[in-house]
Amino acid sequence: MRYHLTPIHCRPWLLNSLSLKLIESHYENNYGGALRRLNAITEKLESLDFAATPGYVINGLKREELIALNSTLLHELYFASLGGDGKPTDAMAGALARDFGSVDRWRAEFVAMGNALAGGSGWVLLVYVPRDRRLVNQYASEHSQAVAGGIPILALDMYEHAYHIDFGANAKAYVDTFMRNVDWKAVQARYEDASKVEPPRPLVQPEFGDLPGVGAEEVKAMLDAGETVQVIDARPRHFVSRTQDIMEGAVWRDPDRVQEWAGELSKSDPVIVFCVYGFHVGCKTAIALREAGFDAKFMKGGHSAWRAMGGPMKQHV
Ligand SMILES: [Fe+2]
């Protein structure tokens, strides 16, 4: 395959205090260079007999491919980030305020991150993360650092080649100039596209589709708030006999004997039941309790989720 050049998106002659010489050199030498390198590496990879190629050669080429590909993508975004008046649109101001507290707070962090890379190199990126449906400012000390699954919508290039022709070592003046040239209408368009990307699909257990579940964090909040909730650890007997710990606030009951212990529970207070990972055993126990008239829910992710969250444990006796 061959990667194709993307034309420069900003109109360089309209930029405020960024010279044509700087932008041309950046686009032609650094962006163009990354794209040319990417195509050369791709061609080399396509010609390889992978089974006969040593691992260090594959590692080297794939590393260089990642660097060249991300450099290409981020430079395209950088040039598409410029050409505006630096004033966030109402929609972007709203999104920044939602995720950072205020536009000023966002800007303070973004600018400080740029200044912090002065004398070094890297990228400062505004990235939409579909998993959390929110924006984050991301630091990248080199081209290949990127938030997995994140969609960058604004890029500040902090490699020296991005500013030394106009600003010498004065990276701070460059960062301020960049901020005055951000094309927020274009950022908003990219934000609108990015926010259409769905978060990763949640775990679906169609056989337990109607069964209400509750997250481990929510259970902890209920316990911390002192709510009356009956928490049942229903891990199979062989699991519990192997491990010494149990979630604090839970009592262990054998999932094979629900009918025997269900009578100990109160029907007026909610019951939360869980197994090891939150699959069949916990769900089936919750169903049995619901059928017996209890307000029972299962804890998503089970014992493992509680531990992964750092929930408090106690010795099982
Ligand atoms: Fe660059």
Side-chain angles (χ1 to χ4, degrees):
M1 96 160 250
R2 207 176 154 71
Y3 290 90
H4 296 288
L5 197 79
T6 294
I8 198 160
H9 273 212
C10 59
R11 287 158 180 72
W13 61 92
L14 295 179
L15 297 178
N16 178 355
S17 307
L18 292 165
S19 71
L20 278 178
K21 193 178 167 200
L22 171 67
I23 300 294
E24 274 176 19
S25 167
H26 197 177
Y27 182 80
E28 293 166 15
N29 296 319
N30 304 106
Y31 166 64
L35 186 87
R36 293 192 297 273
R37 233 170 23 253
L38 177 59
N39 277 322
I41 296 162
T42 304
E43 205 175 306
K44 178 77 186 167
L45 280 164
E46 283 170 351
S47 73
L48 281 190
D49 173 358
F50 288 111
T53 305
Y56 67 87
V57 174
I58 294 173
N59 282 343
L61 280 167
K62 292 304 285 187
R63 184 178 63 240
E64 291 301 317
E65 179 195 40
L66 175 60
I67 291 169
L69 175 57
N70 253 11
S71 177
T72 300
L73 297 172
L74 291 174
H75 275 106
E76 287 170 3
L77 178 60
Y78 173 75
F79 293 113
S81 295
L82 293 168
D85 62 5
K87 296 190 182 75
T89 58
D90 288 348
M92 282 316 299
L96 293 171
R98 180 196 63 207
D99 294 338
F100 296 90
S102 68
V103 175
D104 285 347
R105 181 76 192 156
W106 167 78
R107 188 193 303 272
E109 183 180 69
F110 193 88
V111 167
M113 289 166 71
N115 291 338
L117 282 169
S121 59
W123 293 90
V124 182
L125 306 170
L126 177 62
V127 176
Y128 179 77
V129 182
R131 177 190 190 271
D132 303 312
R133 293 188 190 276
R134 63 156 293 167
L135 294 161
V136 296
N137 283 330
Q138 189 221 315
Y139 152 98
S141 68
E142 40 132 324
H143 300 299
S144 57
Q145 278 182 328
V147 169
I151 303 166
I153 60 170
L154 171 67
L156 165 59
D157 189 337
M158 285 309 298
Y159 284 76
E160 214 180 27
H161 65 236
Y163 59 87
H164 71 100
I165 291 177
D166 283 2
F167 298 91
N170 192 354
K172 190 172 182 309
Y174 160 67
V175 172
D176 291 342
T177 303
F178 173 85
M179 298 306 284
R180 283 202 299 278
N181 281 282
V182 171
D183 182 352
W184 282 100
K185 288 196 189 80
V187 175
Q188 183 183 326
R190 285 190 289 273
Y191 173 70
E192 286 166 2
D193 292 343
S195 53
K196 287 179 195 143
V197 175
E198 292 293 319
R201 293 184 181 211
L203 169 68
V204 176
Q205 301 191 73
E207 66 274 43
F208 303 120
D210 299 333
L211 182 64
V214 50
E217 284 131 332
E218 226 177 311
V219 174
K220 183 164 187 302
M222 290 162 82
L223 292 173
D224 288 348
E227 287 180 33
T228 308
V229 49
Q230 309 167 89
V231 185
I232 308 294
D233 177 341
R235 284 177 292 165
R237 178 176 287 279
H238 63 276
F239 268 99
V240 179
S241 59
R242 274 200 280 129
T243 57
Q244 295 299 311
D245 53 3
I246 179 172
M247 165 185 168
E248 204 172 285
V251 292
W252 180 78
R253 292 290 180 262
D254 188 342
D256 290 333
R257 298 165 181 257
V258 181
Q259 308 309 332
E260 291 173 27
W261 50 262
E264 301 167 7
L265 299 171
S266 151
K267 283 198 174 166
S268 53
D269 296 321
V271 179
I272 289 167
V273 61
F274 63 91
C275 55
V276 186
Y277 309 113
F279 292 107
H280 287 75
V281 177
C283 291
K284 282 187 172 160
T285 310
I287 288 172
L289 290 171
R290 290 179 77 79
E291 284 171 357
F294 293 94
D295 170 18
K297 295 177 177 154
F298 79 103
M299 184 168 80
K300 294 175 191 171
H303 176 83
S304 233
W306 183 265
R307 286 186 61 96
M309 189 191 70
M313 308 297 295
K314 64 180 181 186
Q315 287 288 307
H316 180 49
V317 285

